[in-house]
Amino acid sequence: MATATEPAAKTGAPKNRLIGPMPRIGIRPAIDGRMKGVRESLEAQTLALARSVAALLQSKLRHSNGLPVECVIPSRCIGGVAESAETAALFEREAVGVTLTVTPAWCYGAETMDMNPLYPKAVWGFNGTERPGAVYLAAVLAGHTQKGLPAFGIYGRDVQDAGDTTIPSDVEAKLLRFARAGIAVATMRGKSYLSLGGTSMGIAGSQLDPAFLEGHLGLRVEPVDMTEVARRVTEEIYDKDEYARAVAWVKDHCPEGRDHNPPTHERTRAQKDADWEWSIKMALIARDLMVGNPRLEELGHGEEALGRNAIAGGFQGQRHWTDHYPNGDFMEAILNSSFDWNGIREPFVFATENDCLNGIGMLFGHLLTGTAQIFADVRTYWSPAAVRRVTGHDLQDRAAGGIIHLINSGAATLDATGRMTAGGAPAMKPFWDITPEEVEACLEATTWYPARTEYFRGGGYSSGFLTVGGMPMTMSRVNLVAGLGPVLQIAEGWTVDVPEKVHQTLNERTDPTWPTHWFVPRTEASGPFRDVYSVMNSWGANHGSISYGHVGGDLVTLASMLRIPVFMHNVPEDDVFRPSAWNAFGAHDLQGGDFRACANFGPLYGR
C-alpha cells in the first residue's frame, strides 16, 4: 500500500519525451481534375470521404506515448501535379510521416500519386458503381509498383452508394492496420538506439549492425561505454531529490525475497544495501542517457542533460560490468515497466544483454500497441511426457501439447505479472488505461531476490514473479542472416497456468529468482507450427520479445513497410496485409513472394 512518504501512483500526462514532432497522417483526397462538370460534381464527396477517414483514425489511434494521432487534409482535392506538389509541401510543414490517398472516382494516377519514397503509403479506392474509384485504385497501384514505390491497396468487399461516407468494417480494419504500422515506421525515423556497452557473453544479437538500424529502420546507433554509468554514479550526476524519492518508493514497494545463494556466497547486509543504492542510481542514469533530464542542467551538468534521443536501448551488463558492479536487472525491469516512483508513465524499451535485435522486436510491439514489452529467454520446451515424468502431472487444455518456459534474469517488465485486467480478464494495458490499484497489484506480485553471485559476482537484485495465464500474446524476434539481411519471426499464442506444485518443480530446475511466463503458441497442420516443440525448435535465437495481444498481423504489415521478410509466422491469412506490389512476386507463394519483394525494393532508407 502507498504510505505517507509516497502517494498512490497517478497517471502522467501523455507527452513526447523525444526530440522532434510526432508524425501525422496525411490524407490525400484525389479527384478527376477535369473541370466544367466532372471535378465540381466530386469535390464535396471526395473531401467528405477524406474527413471521414481522418475522423476514424483520430478517434481510434494514439501514439505509444499517449498523444492522439493527428491527420492533415489539404484544403482542396488533388487533381493533378500542381496540387500534388502543394500537398507535398503542406505535409512537409505539418510533420506528416504517413500518407493515405482516398477517392471515389477515376483520377490521373501518375499526376496525383504520392511520390515521397520515405512515406508508408496506401490508397483507398471507394467501391461504388457511379464513379470508377476501383479503376483508379488499380491504375495508381500499378504506377506505384512500376516506379518502385510500394503502396497498400484498400478496396471494400461490398458496393456502396455514391455519397456514402461510412467506412465498412473490412475497410476500417485495413485502414487502422496500415495507419498503426505506418505511424510506427515514421516514429522511428531519426531517433536513436542507445547501446550501453557492447557484446554480452558472445551473443550475436548484441553485436550491433549500424547498416541494419540505419538502412531499414532509420535509427542511428549511439554507443556509450558502461563506464559512463559508473562515472555518473561516483560523480553524483543525477537528481538527488528524485533519488531520495525513489529510495523511499523502493523500500515501500519492492520487498526482498530470501537469498538463494549458499552461505559462503551471500553478500553482507551492508553490501546488499549498497547494491540497492547502485541499482536505483543506474535506473535514473540509464533513463537520463536515453531521453535527457532538464533537471541536470539546473544542477550544472548541461551536457549530460541532453540525452541521446533514444527510442530504445540496451545494457550489456554481463560480464564486464556484473563481475564487479551490481547487475542491471532492477534498472531494466523498472525502465520496461509502465510505472515507477514518479507514477504511471510510458514504458521504455530497454533490452537485456544489449540484445539489440530483440530490443527492436520490443520496439515494434510497443509502437504498435502502446503496452510494455517482455524480454525473455526462450528457455525450455517441456513436453507432456517430460512434465509427467518430472512432476506426475498431465498437462491440460491449451497446455496439453506442451509448454515453453520463457524466463530471463529478472529484468522483465512488471506489467507482465498479468495483474491488470481488461473486460474482467488478465491483461497488459497502455499506460493511459492503467489504474493505481493495478500498479499496486503488479508490485505486490513481484519479489526482489538477491542476485545469484555465481552469475553476478557484483551482486544486485532480480525480480521474481509468475505471469498469470490466459493472456493472448505475440512473441517475435528479428534475426540477421548473412547474405540475406534481417528477417522476422512471429508466434501468436497465450500464457497458460499450471498447478503451483508443477510450476515450483519445473522452476526450481532453472533459477527461481527470475520471472516465469509459461507460453503456448497457436499450432497449425504443418510447418514450424505443427506442434509446440516445432516452434521452439525453429526459433531463430535465444531471446524473444513478447507483446500483449495477437498483433502478428500488424507486425507483418510493419515488416513489409521496412522491407523485412517474415520467415515464420502463424498469423491467419486474412490478417496478412502487405503492399499490392508483393502480389507480383508470387501471389500463390506469399512467404516466398515476401522475401523476393523485400530483396527487390531493398531497405527503406538504404538508397
Side-chain angles (χ1 to χ4, degrees), residues 64 338 344 347 369-372 415 420 428-434:
S64 59
S338 298
I344 301 169
T369 68
T371 60
D415 298 47
M420 304 172 189
M428 294 170 63
K429 302 196 293 191
F431 77 92
W432 55 84
D433 287 334
I434 297 173

Side-chain angles (χ1 to χ4, degrees), residues 60-85:
K60 296 279 190 177
L61 299 178
R62 288 201 199 195
H63 293 284
S64 59
N65 59 21
L67 292 171
V69 168
E70 297 179 336
C71 296
V72 178
I73 305 174
S75 59
R76 61 178 179 175
C77 294
I78 302 168
V81 172
E83 287 158 329
S84 290

Side-chain angles (χ1 to χ4, degrees), residues 214-216 602-607:
E214 295 167 7
H216 281 84
L604 183 58
Y605 307 103
R607 294 183 178 180

Side-chain angles (χ1 to χ4, degrees), residues 259-537:
D259 195 331
H260 287 258
N261 289 294
T264 55
H265 285 73
E266 284 188 22
R267 292 168 70 78
T268 66
R269 185 65 254 175
Q271 287 176 313
K272 290 177 180 178
D273 291 342
D275 289 350
W276 271 122
E277 294 175 3
W278 267 84
S279 296
I280 296 167
K281 291 172 184 176
M282 287 166 64
L284 292 171
I285 289 165
R287 180 205 62 198
D288 293 349
L289 281 163
M290 288 186 73
V291 299
N293 186 348
R295 176 71 177 134
L296 296 183
E297 185 169 16
E298 298 173 8
L299 298 172
H301 305 294
E303 182 180 357
E304 291 86 349
L306 296 174
R308 302 289 175 140
N309 201 34
I311 197 170
F315 182 70
Q316 175 194 330
Q318 300 183 74
R319 288 182 45 205
H320 306 109
W321 179 272
T322 57
D323 278 2
H324 180 65
Y325 293 114
N327 65 20
D329 284 7
F330 176 81
M331 166 184 64
E332 294 160 4
I334 289 299
L335 287 176
N336 282 319
S337 297
S338 298
F339 47 84
D340 60 18
W341 42 86
N342 293 319
I344 301 169
R345 46 94 176 125
E346 181 188 5
F348 290 83
V349 173
F350 202 71
T352 300
E353 295 158 358
N354 199 27
D355 185 348
C356 170
L357 296 181
N358 212 58
I360 294 304
M362 295 168 69
L363 177 59
F364 290 171
H366 175 59
L367 293 176
L368 290 169
T369 68
T371 60
Q373 303 295 298
I374 303 171
F375 184 109
D377 272 359
V378 185
R379 180 64 67 96
T380 309
Y381 165 69
W382 278 98
S383 69
V387 172
R388 187 182 310 112
R389 176 180 63 81
V390 171
T391 70
H393 175 73
D394 288 317
L395 294 172
Q396 304 292 326
D397 302 320
R398 280 198 178 116
I403 51 180
I404 294 177
H405 196 178
L406 303 176
I407 182 173
N408 208 333
S409 58
T413 171
L414 272 57
D415 298 47
T417 57
R419 267 60 177 190
M420 304 172 189
T421 60
M428 294 170 63
K429 302 196 293 191
F431 77 92
W432 55 84
D433 287 334
I434 297 173
T435 67
E437 292 75 19
E438 289 172 327
V439 171
E440 293 294 331
C442 292
L443 289 165
E444 289 173 2
T446 306
T447 302
W448 296 89
Y449 296 98
R452 290 283 189 94
T453 52
E454 64 178 334
Y455 283 114
F456 304 115
R457 298 174 186 173
Y461 287 88
S462 297
S463 59
F465 60 79
L466 173 62
T467 294
V468 172
M471 292 194 291
M473 307 295 272
T474 301
M475 184 166 71
S476 67
R477 166 74 190 189
V478 176
N479 293 300
L480 292 179
V481 180
L484 177 62
V487 294
L488 180 67
Q489 58 188 144
I490 301 166
E492 293 185 340
W494 298 268
T495 58
V496 295
D497 292 318
V498 298
E500 178 64 22
K501 282 189 175 181
V502 174
H503 163 70
Q504 292 292 349
T505 300
L506 302 184
N507 208 42
E508 289 287 341
R509 293 172 68 102
T510 174
D511 196 320
T513 70
W514 298 346
T516 279
H517 331 281
W518 296 111
F519 176 70
V520 173
R522 184 174 58 243
T523 54
E524 298 176 337
S526 61
F529 288 92
R530 61 186 176 274
D531 53 31
V532 178
Y533 166 79
S534 298
V535 177
M536 175 77 182
N537 193 45

Side-chain angles (χ1 to χ4, degrees), residues 52 55 92 312 420 586:
S52 179
E92 287 292 323
M420 304 172 189

